[in-house]
Amino acid sequence: MAAASGHAVWLNPKMGKYLWWQYGVIYQIYPRSFMDADGDGVGDLRGITNRLDYLAQLRVDAIWLAPIYPSPMNDFGYDVSDYTAIHPMFGTVADFDRMIEAAHARGIRVILDLVPNHTSDDHPWFRESRSSRRSLKRDWYIWHEPAPDGGPPNNWLSEFGGSAWEWDVKTQQYYLHTFHRSQPDLNWRTPDVQEAMLDVMRFWFDRGVDGFRVDVMWHLIKDDQIRNNPLNPDYDGSHPYRRLIPIYQEDRPEVADIVAMMRGVADEYEERTLLGEIYLPIERLVAYYGPDGRGVHLPHNFHLLTEPWEARRLAEVIDAYERALPAGAWPNWVLSNHDFPRIATRVGPEQARVAAMLLLTLRGTPTIYYGDEIGMVDVAIPEESMQDPKAQNMPGFGLGRDGARTPMQWTAGPHAGFSVGAPWLPVADDYARSNVEVNLGADGSMLTLYQRLTTLRRSERALATGSYAAVPAAGDVLSYLREEEGRRFLVALNFGGTRASLAPPGLRLLGEVIESTHPRRRRKTIDGVVELDAHEGVVVRLA
Ligand code: NOJ
């Protein structure tokens, strides 16, 4: 079945045989915090629609929305109580349809979040399942007898702290919850569960959605014998979940069948794409591309987010990733998301500019997290006032995520122009200086840098879909070449706070700096050596 969509008109003729999710730039919106049109302090769909022109100016090709479905909001929407409706807080189905239409009219695709690992305990499926051991939906979730001592069936831990098992008094069994106890895990070994979730995908594809980001894809299937996880001998005390090595809880071989089913549904439609949320080492991550294109299009690659911000380390990671990609697999890169501190908080404002250049010049689809394009930083929210269940359940570990989810800073006006009402999370103190309005059109601003880089990527195929080759570099410098149809670009990034230079043996460096994180240094001619200022990144067009 091919959905009538007129997709062909959006093809970027410059990008030849490549599809939008390959040459395009994805922008992650956390809908609660992007733009509030109705003044209740929480962002909504009309707010997003009102800001599509801004996103078009930023030259993004797709938006991915964190969950917008009905939910008790214990995990801010990742606890879904109805997969085929819109939470009234975000608007109506009509608002959704209008948003899709308006996005498509601007050539922007829309990717939704699919949360298949767990539902809310308020979902009718779970209410039915927990009603009785004889419920027809009992096997839709993972229920088990207690261990002989009456405790949880095994040692599995929840990512949100404590045991992954919750006792159900009424039916005298435990249910599994990888996350919050109000997020019971679905049992993906049950064919009816598979069918129900694949139908959810069809429901939204039929409404014109262009893809899904699939939440915690590597968690979907658990060991059927529920074997105990081994202790982690290298546990560093940073996150209670890491006390064990979750080999029986994650990345089980059977997950490939589920991924293939999801891919099958996407392939029933034209040009739809699946992004998988997968935190795994590179060699396991790339397995989710699946054999013969039967996996996800883009297993989200978080290595820029999880690795130390060091040139030599990242050079190794990029090369290892490039080498590990199976034939035909398309790479992708993520700098920040709603689960970790923002890039500018992790690496500081100067390196955040270098990071922008890295993200937007590497080979592979980049995902920009809302607000990173204006250099937003985490708001320091005391742990005891955080709303995130992760902070509440695991105090003292610094794992709370509220700080990276604060309202988008649009203007210097009240509440940073995000809402006329009091926002659900505090706005950053520096919003009067750091917002879209002051960034727009300002030559040295972060937003201008992002816009210049996305524009360059759109106009130069070499930077979007061209080949990648590492350039030997030392110390704080990371460098690579991008090339297509005879157009060659050298990217050189200085991760350090002192000046550095690059003169790789065997490479004739002759060209012009067409982009720099330091605007005054654009247009410089390069002959033999690239000199970099502290924290400077450049794109050089080679002659
Ligand atoms: C991953 C999501 O990104 C995160 O925000 C959420 O808490 C968990 N999955 C559970 O759905």
Side-chain angles (χ1 to χ4, degrees), residues 99-112:
M99 179 194 72
I100 290 254
E101 203 185 311
H104 285 176
R106 290 162 177 78
I108 298 176
R109 323 282 164 135
V110 178
I111 298 170
L112 291 189

Side-chain angles (χ1 to χ4, degrees), residues 35-36 51 407-423 427-428 431-432 435 437:
M35 182 64 210
D36 178 22
R51 291 293 186 245
M408 178 71 176
Q409 296 151 212
W410 294 103
T411 69
H415 310 308
F418 161 73
S419 174
V420 294
V427 171
Y431 78 89
N435 61 58
E437 210 169 52

Side-chain angles (χ1 to χ4, degrees), residues 67 71-81 83 115-123 126 130 141-142 158-160 164-166 175-186 215-216 222 388-390 393 401 405:
S71 159
M73 294 282 166
N74 287 330
D75 189 19
F76 298 102
Y78 284 96
D79 46 330
V80 179
S81 53
Y83 286 96
V115 190
N117 179 70
H118 43 269
T119 67
S120 158
D121 60 356
D122 204 30
H123 195 293
F126 188 68
R130 85 183 315 177
Y141 292 84
I142 301 174
S158 158
E159 287 239 28
F160 283 3
W165 298 96
E166 183 75 9
Y175 66 84
L176 184 75
H177 59 92
T178 301
F179 296 91
H180 195 252
R181 62 178 179 286
S182 68
Q183 292 167 293
D185 281 36
L186 282 161
D215 191 60
V216 295
K222 288 89 189 170
D388 182 5
K390 212 167 166 180
N393 286 7
R401 299 168 294 181
R405 300 174 171 180

Side-chain angles (χ1 to χ4, degrees), residues 425-438:
L425 283 178
V427 171
D429 286 343
D430 69 348
Y431 78 89
R433 273 176 291 118
S434 167
N435 61 58
V436 169
E437 210 169 52
V438 301

